[in-house]
Amino acid sequence: MVEILICLSTALLAGLLMSRAAKLFHLPAVTGYLITGLLLGPYALGVLHIPYVGFESMEAVERYGMVSQVALGFIAFTIGNEFRLTQLKSMGRQAIIVGIFQAVITTVVVDIALCVLHYLRPDIISLSSAITLGAIAAATAPAATLMVVKQYKAHGLLTHLLLMVVAIDDAVGLILFAASYGIANALEQGNISVISVVAEPLLEITLSLLIGAAAGLFMNWIEKYYHSREKRIAVSVAFVLLMVGVSMTEYDIAGVHISFSLLLVCMMTGTVFCNICETSEELMNRVDQWTAPINVLFFIISGAELDLVVLKNPLVLTIGIVYILFRSIGKISGAYISCRATGCEKKVTDHLGITLLPQAGVALGMAVTAANLSDGAVVRNVVLFSVLVYELIGPTLTKRSLIAAGEIATEDPESERVINGSRKVALH
């Protein structure tokens, strides 16, 4: 326990110091956190086995997995704040259409590219792996995007649509992956399961949304009985932690595997709560402040999880370059086409695609599931390589796109430090 506490505190301090260095190069703080994780990870300082400094192995990194899960829960809960009825009335149709079509177009583009690679060099990648990677390409990571938006206080049409799309993307990605993985299994084993391809992913999405909605209603009911800020924040934290725990449970009932999406459960909790609670906006801002250190640790741990060994394998690099190139083409063109079709403003149409490039946790989870394929190790390593690239350059590209769209006013936000005694306290 002592080792865990000291290791987390040194990692947090190192990440904060690195964020200052990142600022000198006009990089987002999240990039600094990820680089900190790489440096403290098992392929850098970790190999020196310095007590309480770094992560000595991937097993050591996995011990902190709960921190990542909790951070993702709060990130999803915060994104739920973007789905207020006022926003849905003005941008809901666009968000749904763009969220679905950019994901589908990306999957099709990557599928075609990797299937062509398979037919040219069947010794490099199997057809089942090519199809599976196409579906994984649809997934977008919301965490890095949200951190950039918060750091630079981005605000505008592009920002609001972006946060909606990355949330919708999770549900679309689950369906695309389930269908593609089912087809891949059929190609290898000669049979296809309607339950695993259709029923289970739809059940996962439906149950996740229902549980999240119920939690949002119950949270609002309990929150009304408390008036102090501290107790209301405590209620919010308790509910998010509860939903993270619930989303990690799995069941097998009558031959059907039942699981939940952490992102969808927590996002729906936040969405329902924000739409029915009169004081939700102020409370969400305070929850953001409370969870700031957890979010920093999330990216440091994510950086430590990046496997540099994959860079030694020329096979993985070849497939990975094709995957990254065509996934980027799919995301950018898919967002552009769907934005044009829905009448989005030019600044949104021109810049949304690039902001959808970051990829991380959801994609890695899909890759773990795909390990059952004959060359599932190839799928996993290609995704690891793409995550390494996208997580390091994605936040910077998102920042540049938001600046180009005029939604980041300044790269140097005003200091929020308050000199002792300068804040007036009202007495009642």
Side-chain angles (χ1 to χ4, degrees), residues 219-410:
M219 178 178 167
N220 177 63
W221 178 71
I222 290 184
E223 188 267 346
K224 290 180 179 178
Y225 290 96
Y226 299 96
H227 301 286
S228 71
R229 291 169 179 171
E230 292 78 8
K231 290 180 180 178
R232 290 168 61 226
I233 291 175
V235 170
S236 303
V237 171
F239 267 88
V240 175
L241 292 177
L242 175 62
M243 291 302 99
V244 171
V246 169
S247 66
M248 295 173 67
T249 61
E250 298 182 3
Y251 306 94
D252 285 296
I253 301 176
V256 178
H257 182 71
I258 297 175
S259 58
F260 309 96
S261 166
L262 183 151
L263 291 176
L264 289 181
V265 170
C266 294
M267 182 201 72
M268 195 62 178
T269 302
T271 298
V272 172
F273 176 72
C274 288
N275 276 288
I276 61 177
C277 178
E278 295 178 348
T279 59
S280 61
E281 195 157 343
E282 176 263 340
L283 184 59
M284 293 292 277
N285 290 333
R286 294 190 176 277
V287 170
D288 275 348
Q289 295 170 5
W290 186 88
T291 58
I294 300 176
N295 292 335
V296 173
L297 285 172
F298 167 75
F299 287 103
I300 293 172
I301 294 170
S302 296
E305 288 176 334
L306 297 177
D307 192 345
L308 299 183
V309 173
V310 299
L311 299 178
K312 296 181 180 179
N313 190 332
L315 175 66
V316 170
L317 293 179
T318 301
I319 302 171
I321 290 171
V322 173
Y323 174 86
I324 291 171
L325 174 62
F326 284 93
R327 179 182 181 269
S328 301
I329 292 172
K331 283 290 180 184
I332 295 171
S333 63
Y336 182 85
I337 293 169
S338 53
C339 282
R340 284 288 298 271
T342 55
C344 293
E345 287 193 10
K346 187 177 187 302
K347 69 173 185 178
V348 176
T349 302
D350 291 344
H351 300 292
L352 179 64
I354 294 177
T355 64
L356 296 173
L357 293 181
Q359 187 173 48
V362 176
L364 288 172
M366 293 175 178
V368 170
T369 302
N372 294 324
L373 296 174
S374 58
D375 55 351
V378 172
V379 174
R380 176 182 177 276
N381 288 333
V382 168
V383 173
L384 282 171
F385 174 57
S386 73
V387 167
L388 173 64
V389 174
Y390 280 127
E391 284 295 89
L392 291 177
I393 68 171
T396 300
L397 293 176
T398 298
K399 172 195 166 186
R400 291 184 180 278
S401 294
L402 291 172
I403 290 175
E407 301 198 356
I408 291 179
T410 174

Side-chain angles (χ1 to χ4, degrees), residues 1-152:
M1 180 60 73
V2 173
E3 180 183 352
I4 291 175
L5 290 175
I6 295 177
C7 187
L8 283 177
S9 62
T10 54
L12 180 59
L13 290 171
L16 293 171
L17 290 172
M18 185 62 76
S19 71
R20 300 301 299 172
K23 186 177 181 181
L24 297 176
F25 296 95
H26 302 286
L27 296 173
V30 62
T31 303
Y33 303 146
L34 289 165
I35 292 174
T36 301
L38 274 174
L39 294 176
L40 295 177
Y43 305 105
L45 289 177
V47 301
L48 300 178
H49 302 294
I50 303 174
Y52 309 125
V53 177
F55 307 93
E56 298 180 358
S57 64
M58 279 298 179
E59 289 73 22
V61 178
E62 290 171 0
R63 288 206 301 265
Y64 303 93
M66 185 60 69
V67 175
S68 297
Q69 295 294 96
V70 170
L72 274 177
F74 280 104
I75 287 166
F77 180 71
T78 301
I79 289 177
N81 192 36
E82 299 300 319
F83 287 88
R84 292 180 180 272
L85 289 178
T86 52
Q87 293 289 344
L88 290 174
K89 288 177 182 177
S90 61
M91 303 182 70
R93 172 179 164 274
Q94 290 176 329
I96 292 171
I97 293 175
V98 174
I100 293 173
F101 279 93
Q102 57 82 24
V104 172
I105 290 173
T106 301
T107 295
V108 171
V109 170
V110 176
D111 272 342
I112 291 173
L114 292 180
C115 286
V116 168
L117 180 62
H118 162 73
Y119 285 112
L120 292 175
R121 292 291 304 274
D123 57 312
I124 290 181
I125 186 171
S126 68
L127 184 58
S128 58
S129 293
I131 292 172
T132 302
L133 279 169
I136 294 175
T140 299
T145 301
L146 185 62
M147 285 290 282
V148 173
V149 168
K150 285 182 179 179
Q151 179 184 351
Y152 297 104

